[in-house]
Amino acid sequence: MENAAPALRPPRAITCRSLAWGFARIGLSGIGGVLPYAHRTIVTEERWLDDREFTEVLSVAQLLPGPNIGNVAILVGTRFRGAAGAAAALGGLFVPPLLVFLVLAMLYRQFAEIAWLKRMFVGIGAAAAGLILGMGLKLAVALPRKMWAAAIALAALGAAVVWRIPLPWVVLGLAPLGILCAWRWRG
Amino acid sequence: MDSIGADPAWAFAAHLALLSIVSVGGAHAMLPDIYRFVVLEHGWLSGQDFAALVALSQAAPGPNVLVSALLGYQFGGLLAAVAAPVAFIVPSSLATYVFAHFDRRGGDAPWKAIALQGLAPLTVGLVIASGIVLAQGVGAGTAGYATAAIVAAASAFTRIHPLWFIAAAALAGLVM
């Protein structure tokens, strides 16, 4: 990234309309997660951010509460067009796919009781569980090899699966504890 | 939170608004709590329907939080299908906007890296919990757990597109 010329700025002005349109493409493109498409649209195609800026925005988006991609939309929108830009980016990101989801919701309600479809959905549900587990495994492999990290991951797992503790308590307890551990045993 | 009213649409939206403020690790990390609220506490959906709708949301283009629209529609109609994602997105978005407003330039800070490291194990635990809770919800016994385990291993350690797993599992479901 060092030798990339600093002035590879967007080919055209960043307006609320272009933000909405860009994030609409991101929102409608992802199957099983939209983040890879976000990088392609924001960095490669629209050149709103360079690679380093994108990584920074993404890490802040992950830190703040809420959906990561939604936070990326707000951070990028605000940076270029303030509150209006944030609203435009957020609207572009969520409204078009929401319309798709509404149609799917109606179709499911209409047809899910058909016996063979119901059986297919049992299989699909198991696959969805597997896909999410697989994502969890990938994330687990990337964790720092530290006792505190394993302990917190297991505590969160037990709280959610075994003890069924409401999530706000789990987060309020384990998030500060995790950050404290990461700071205490940093490096 | 249940005092908001008996109407499932509003109760669901109020619960999601609360989760929005404390959400870490994306929508999938929130699923165990949403399952607890919707399936176990209120019985608005069966575990099987819950898992199927999560699957449908994964097979459709769009951010993961929109699963709340699919779920909400089934027991709260169009009102819940719109109110749920809005409640899930708006509170956290306001917080993010306030942050973005004061941090326009962005930039690296050591505290960001440390905070990210500290939150990562929590996310991992919750996402794995989400997979387990969904597999329980499917209610297909050994065959269901086996399918989930195979897909988990294959998707974590190969680069096969997720849609193939969903298609294969749909066929497997016919004979399950």
Side-chain angles (χ1 to χ4, degrees):
Chain A
M1 262 26 84
E2 291 296 297
N3 51 6
L8 259 183
R9 273 298 136 185
R12 51 205 160 86
I14 302 171
T15 60
C16 284
R17 182 192 292 227
S18 66
L19 285 166
W21 171 234
F23 276 96
R25 288 197 329 266
I26 295 171
L28 284 170
S29 58
I31 286 178
V34 294
L35 278 178
Y37 302 91
H39 180 271
R40 192 177 69 193
T41 302
I42 293 170
V43 178
T44 313
E45 291 176 4
E46 299 285 349
R47 293 189 219 150
W48 290 333
L49 303 176
D50 63 27
D51 257 317
R52 188 184 52 80
E53 289 167 328
F54 182 80
T55 309
E56 277 168 18
V57 163
L58 187 58
S59 76
V60 173
Q62 288 171 323
L63 276 180
L64 294 166
N68 296 338
I69 185 61
N71 286 343
V72 168
I74 295 165
L75 292 166
V76 172
T78 306
R79 180 175 298 195
F80 295 113
R81 280 282 172 261
L90 208 58
L93 179 66
F94 285 114
V95 173
L98 177 61
L99 298 178
V100 176
F101 271 59
L102 289 180
V103 172
L104 286 175
M106 292 173 193
L107 289 174
Y108 183 85
R109 182 127 172 223
Q110 197 80 38
F111 297 112
E113 288 308 312
I114 298 172
W116 62 270
L117 257 179
K118 211 174 169 67
R119 284 206 303 278
M120 281 179 96
F121 266 115
V122 168
I124 294 176
L131 287 174
I132 292 177
L133 265 181
M135 192 173 75
L137 289 179
K138 268 195 275 194
L139 292 173
V141 171
L143 278 185
R145 300 263 184 280
K146 303 252 173 78
M147 279 301 291
W148 65 264
I152 287 178
L154 284 174
L157 182 62
V161 175
V162 185
W163 306 302
R164 310 262 187 207
I165 298 172
L167 187 76
W169 301 119
V170 180
V171 171
L172 289 179
L174 294 180
L177 186 65
I179 293 169
L180 194 69
C181 290
W183 175 76
R184 172 69 183 75
W185 289 289
R186 63 191 178 275
Chain B
M1 290 310 116
D2 303 339
S3 58
I4 297 283
D7 186 345
W10 293 119
F12 186 48
H15 188 70
L16 292 179
L18 175 70
L19 290 188
S20 177
I21 307 166
V22 297
S23 65
V24 291
H28 285 154
M30 305 296 107
L31 285 178
D33 196 73
I34 298 174
Y35 184 95
R36 185 186 62 76
F37 188 75
V38 167
V39 178
L40 301 178
E41 204 166 292
H42 289 281
W44 290 328
L45 281 176
S46 70
Q48 216 169 67
D49 280 329
F50 190 96
L53 290 162
V54 171
L56 201 55
S57 79
Q58 287 194 305
N64 293 330
V65 280
L66 291 180
V67 68
S68 58
L70 281 185
L71 296 169
Y73 183 80
Q74 308 305 319
F75 53 83
L78 209 50
L79 172 66
V82 176
V86 167
F88 209 1
I89 293 163
V90 167
S92 65
S93 293
L94 289 176
T96 298
Y97 174 73
V98 170
F99 180 92
H101 186 73
F102 290 108
D103 188 52
R104 270 199 179 212
R105 286 309 320 149
D108 256 330
W111 66 266
K112 287 179 185 168
I114 288 186
L116 270 178
Q117 269 179 28
L119 293 177
L122 175 56
T123 300
V124 168
L126 291 176
V127 170
I128 292 177
S130 175
I132 295 173
V133 166
L134 285 181
Q136 289 171 341
V138 167
T142 316
Y145 287 115
T147 306
I150 292 167
V151 171
S155 64
F157 303 115
T158 70
R159 296 185 56 96
I160 302 170
H161 196 277
L163 277 183
W164 289 112
F165 295 115
I166 291 179
L171 292 178
L174 284 177
V175 298
M176 239 180 228

